Amino acid sequence: MGALSTAETGRKSLSAGERSYLHAAAETMPREKLAQLQFERLQATLANAYANVPLVHQRLDKVGARPADIRSLDDLARLPFTIKTDLRDQYPFGLFARPHEQLARLHASSGTTGKPTVVGYTHEDIDNWADLMARSLYSAGVRRGDVVHNAYGYGLFTGGLGAHYGAERLGAVVVPVSGGATERQVGLIMDFKARVLCATPSYALAIAEVAEQQGVDLRKSALQIGMFGAEPWSAAMRHEIEARIGLKAVDVYGLSEIMGPGVACECECQDGLHGWEDHFLFEVIDPETGKVLPEGEAGELVITTLTKQALPMLRYRTRDITRLTTAPCDCGRTHVRILRITGRNDDMLIIRGVNVYPSQIEAVLIGRPNIAPHYQLVVERHGILDHVRVEVEALPGTEPALFPAVARDVRHHIKSMVGITTDVTVQVPGTVPRSQGKAVRVRDLRPKEA
Ligand code: DLL
């Protein structure tokens, strides 16, 4: 699973006495006991969804998998998948299993194409979410009394409020800055002595850049832990951020359809993200055939919620590509680990037959001489073939006369490491738009299918 060496991370391996958990009984539960708990909770979830969500009722009837027919976790594969368009088709509240009187909150995706995806929570759902995000923060090393600078966007996006409630639940001190006004963020991080930075990896990098421009050395700040997620990021990006800010960058995963941030998170071992199995069931399927893949094989992550009341999700196809392992983790947690998410199915580019995720190109760009870690991929159609142009920035101070040679070097390395031919344009610093949340990595200029 590509564990980081202790030399790279600066950590020593854990002794038994150093292992610590927020919810020890739940996090270290023997796997057989965990499976039993999951099955009980799955039955309750099925009963809830079957009784209260007409679409689920119809679908389970149709395939002959009513709640009573599901007798063990092995029967999970008999349940139909839920997909993103189900939420859109049932806009806004069609998949909700609770009336408004029992709801506490709604969140929604921005919905750049078509209708947004709306998700809802009861008070108990919000409570569980706070617990799981607190658990995630704790497993990453965050503790009571830590100042948590929360630069995830507040609002309909689940990042801001999700991290906020989790940090408060843990007993940390939250600074609810949200994204934007980056100069001010740098000042607040320094003045309030934040130990923890919550942000998308691309926004963390934007903060680092602005700090450098202001002459502020974040490596000398109190920051020690970054809780980064909400978008794919490469291992190279992790090292870049760690070097520029001087903290340990921790990967946290989640999605609004399932809950929000805190569905899975790295522990101090940083060898995959523990998916919190007392609240979710994780499967990996072949995205083409829908067949469940054996542990360790790469495919699409599918998640079933086990405790969600307002929006129970059965076998939700996340479109995120990863692998699972239940091999013991040095931290002593027994919960499954998902490997770093390489990318989303929807973001995959097929360039002359080669499947490519933006994060693979990112991994090549970061660390190449004279290149800054700011890039966009422009996809165009040339005749019948798709073509990628990589727009990347030169490091500040690089002579413009060198740009063509730098572009040739990058092009060569993308070809040899990713296997695709690209055009590379090296641009002056500051030309690639900086993100304040999820970075836009791909500009797709291909004609839309009629
Ligand atoms: O991004 C929730 C979140 C907020 C997670 C803050 C982590 C931190 P959505 O906006 O619904 O929810 O987007 C979910 O973002 O399906 C993945 O494609 C991607 N994603 C989330 N976390 C990671 C991660 C939030 N750690 C979608 N690595 C997911 C890679 C991630 N991709």
Side-chain angles (χ1 to χ4, degrees):
M1 294 248 306
L4 291 175
S5 71
T6 45
E8 278 173 300
T9 59
R11 283 186 314 280
K12 52 191 168 51
S13 60
L14 297 177
S15 72
E18 283 171 320
R19 293 175 180 154
S20 56
Y21 315 97
L22 188 63
H23 308 124
E27 291 174 53
T28 60
M29 193 180 281
R31 292 202 59 79
E32 312 78 67
K33 218 171 139 205
L34 197 51
Q36 200 184 326
L37 176 71
Q38 288 185 313
F39 181 58
E40 281 160 21
R41 291 184 165 179
L42 176 64
Q43 282 182 311
T45 299
L46 279 171
N48 177 26
Y50 188 74
N52 299 312
V53 185
L55 183 76
V56 172
H57 194 105
Q58 281 165 24
R59 284 188 177 167
L60 296 190
D61 276 352
K62 196 165 159 207
V63 298
R66 293 174 193 84
D69 300 318
I70 303 302
R71 287 161 205 249
S72 78
L73 285 182
D74 295 336
D75 288 333
L76 186 67
R78 292 174 56 188
L79 300 175
F81 294 116
T82 308
I83 55 175
K84 191 165 187 105
T85 46
D86 290 333
L87 279 141
R88 296 229 167 100
D89 294 346
Q90 299 290 319
Y91 178 84
F93 309 130
L95 291 185
F96 285 19
R98 288 288 183 276
H100 277 41
E101 296 70 42
Q102 293 178 32
L103 297 185
R105 201 193 297 164
L106 302 176
H107 279 281
S109 76
S110 47
T112 39
T113 51
K115 290 185 183 132
T117 330
V118 182
V119 297
Y121 306 78
T122 63
H123 287 280
E124 203 174 310
D125 290 336
I126 298 276
D127 209 44
N128 282 330
W129 183 11
D131 265 349
L132 290 183
M133 190 60 210
R135 190 193 285 181
S136 300
L137 288 158
Y138 193 92
S139 74
V142 184
R143 294 293 180 267
R144 170 174 287 274
D146 284 350
V147 175
V148 175
H149 182 99
N150 186 13
Y152 282 121
Y154 280 66
L156 289 177
F157 174 52
T158 52
L161 285 169
H164 184 108
Y165 273 57
E168 280 193 354
R169 175 63 51 91
L170 186 60
V173 186
V174 193
V175 185
V177 251
S178 195
T182 311
E183 287 82 7
R184 192 162 65 112
Q185 306 245 0
V186 174
L188 293 176
I189 288 173
M190 300 307 287
D191 296 348
F192 296 171
K193 303 206 169 7
R195 181 172 178 253
V196 183
L197 171 63
C198 295
T200 59
S202 57
Y203 191 50
L205 202 56
I207 295 175
E209 186 183 33
V210 167
E212 287 156 13
Q213 286 162 359
Q214 293 178 342
V216 175
D217 188 351
L218 285 180
R219 291 169 303 180
K220 296 196 178 123
S221 72
L223 284 175
Q224 289 183 344
I225 298 172
M227 296 293 293
F228 300 138
E231 64 185 6
W233 51 311
S234 60
M237 178 67 101
R238 187 203 294 262
H239 292 306
E240 173 81 17
I241 297 173
E242 289 188 334
R244 302 255 301 257
I245 308 187
L247 46 57
K248 183 169 93 171
V250 179
D251 198 353
V252 57
Y253 170 80
L255 62 167
S256 27
E257 296 90 323
I258 293 301
M259 182 176 82
V263 171
C265 188
E266 285 180 331
C267 62
E268 46 280 59
C269 304
Q270 293 195 290
D271 192 10
L273 295 80
H274 289 283
W276 305 126
E277 284 186 284
D278 45 344
H279 292 268
F280 311 105
L281 272 170
F282 297 89
E283 302 170 272
V284 164
I285 62 163
D286 177 333
E288 300 294 325
T289 64
K291 268 188 65 175
V292 178
L293 294 174
E295 181 172 325
E297 282 189 27
E300 180 179 346
L301 184 65
V302 170
I303 308 179
T304 299
T305 63
L306 294 174
T307 50
K308 283 278 291 292
Q309 297 177 329
L311 188 59
M313 275 289 167
L314 302 180
R315 305 193 80 205
Y316 184 71
R317 290 187 61 157
T318 64
R319 298 185 285 188
D320 293 323
I321 303 298
T322 187
R323 286 186 276 150
L324 297 179
T325 176
T326 56
C329 183
D330 197 31
C331 70
R333 288 179 182 82
T334 49
H335 294 224
V336 69
R337 280 172 290 154
I338 66 176
L339 198 75
R340 165 189 293 280
I341 309 277
T342 1
R344 288 175 71 77
N345 243 354
D346 336 353
D347 294 343
M348 190 180 78
L349 304 169
I350 305 178
I351 306 298
R352 300 189 191 183
V354 182
N355 298 352
V356 187
Y357 292 102
S359 62
Q360 289 173 275
I361 295 182
E362 172 182 298
V364 177
L365 295 177
I366 293 181
R368 294 247 42 86
N370 301 311
I371 286 292
H374 304 288
Y375 69 95
Q376 276 190 333
L377 309 180
V378 183
V379 190
E380 292 163 332
R381 172 117 350 127
H382 293 179
I384 54 161
L385 295 177
D386 288 342
H387 189 84
V388 175
R389 186 153 46 84
V390 179
E391 294 182 351
V392 64
E393 275 179 26
L395 267 188
T398 308
E399 277 297 319
L402 285 178
F403 288 7
V406 174
R408 279 197 301 278
D409 168 75
V410 170
R411 185 175 191 271
H412 168 76
H413 279 85
I414 293 175
K415 176 76 187 163
S416 66
M417 291 165 79
V418 185
I420 60 164
T421 302
T422 53
D423 277 339
V424 176
T425 331
V426 176
Q427 305 178 334
V428 291
T431 38
V432 173
R434 300 296 188 262
S435 99
Q436 297 188 348
K438 293 176 191 261
V440 177
R441 296 302 190 194
V442 178
R443 289 197 339 256
D444 192 343
L445 304 183
R446 289 172 292 190
K448 295 275 166 286
E449 305 287 333

